[in-house]
Structures are given as C-alpha cells and as structure tokens.
Amino acid sequence: MTIKGKIIATVTGLIAIGIAAFIFIKFYFVFGEGVKAGELNQVVYKGYIFKTYEGRLIQSGLRGTGAKGTVTMESYVFEFSVDDQGVADSLMRCSGKNVELHYKEYLGALPWRGQQKYVVDKILSVN
C-alpha cells in the first residue's frame, strides 16, 4: 500500500469512528436520569410509521411573588415517551392520578423510541 493509500485509509477510519461516536452520544448515551411527580394527563399510542407511546405529566406549583406581592399558580408540562409496552399499559390505567415516574434523558430522539428525549422506564408510585 502506498503512502497516499495509507493516509486515505487512516482519514476514512477516523471519520467513521467520529460519526459512530457522534451517533452513540447523541442517541444512545444516557445524559441524565431522574424522577418526576405530578398528575398524569394522558398516554397515547401514535405515529405514522413508528407507533410509539407518548405521555404528558402536569406538575403544578406556586411561583414566587410577583411585582405587587401576588403569588401565581403555575404548571409545568413534562412530555415523555415510553418504550416498554408493559409500563405504557400500566400508565394508561393511571390517567388523572398522581404518579412518580423514573425517566432517562437522551440528547436526541429516535423515531422508534419516541418523539421525546425523555423516556420513562419505571413507575415508582401511583396515588
């Protein structure tokens, strides 16, 4: 193999390794894990090609005082995907209840895993 061939092979190999590392970090590396608690609003099974379970959790709370000393009620919507059918079936029966959900956060979403970068993998409690 000539020097030119070795350089081309090395550069091609480095580019392939770089692309593989980018794909792994963007779509498969778990960036964070956590627990969210709130009222489960909905869990739906939807999609055109890849059918996935998508859910919404409402977290309500009080926000600090405003300009005139008022306290405002504010809610935060946590949208998530579920990739385990058993967890999704359990969540579908819990609509309207307060739940604690364990989730994993990815840097990007994959079509067959769901539309959100937050993926719920466990139900910790239902009230």
Side-chain angles (χ1 to χ4, degrees):
M1 187 183 267
T2 65
I3 300 240
K4 184 178 177 183
K6 288 181 182 179
I7 291 173
I8 291 173
T10 303
V11 169
T12 303
L14 289 174
I15 290 172
I17 290 171
I19 290 171
F22 172 77
I23 289 171
F24 173 77
I25 290 171
K26 179 79 174 172
F27 299 110
Y28 294 100
F29 175 72
V30 177
F31 179 69
E33 290 187 56
V35 175
K36 293 277 189 180
E39 182 180 336
L40 185 63
N41 187 333
Q42 69 176 9
V43 175
V44 295
Y45 185 61
K46 65 180 182 177
Y48 292 110
I49 296 173
F50 298 103
K51 297 279 189 186
T52 58
Y53 294 97
E54 305 296 325
R56 184 178 300 148
L57 186 76
I58 306 294
Q59 297 175 291
S60 60
L62 297 175
R63 187 167 184 204
T65 57
K68 297 184 180 185
T70 59
V71 176
T72 58
M73 184 71 143
E74 184 176 284
S75 65
Y76 173 73
V77 176
F78 175 64
E79 294 186 341
F80 59 89
S81 297
V82 182
D83 61 354
D84 182 6
Q85 185 176 359
V87 173
D89 289 340
S90 297
L91 283 173
M92 284 185 177
R93 291 187 297 273
C94 296
S95 186
K97 296 181 181 175
N98 286 320
V99 295
E100 283 185 27
L101 304 175
H102 181 269
Y103 68 91
K104 293 180 181 178
E105 178 182 1
Y106 297 93
L107 297 175
L110 290 170
W112 53 86
R113 189 172 59 202
Q115 297 177 355
Q116 308 300 324
K117 64 181 185 174
Y118 300 102
V119 178
V120 169
D121 58 351
K122 288 189 257 192
I123 303 170
L124 298 178
S125 71
V126 177
N127 296 328

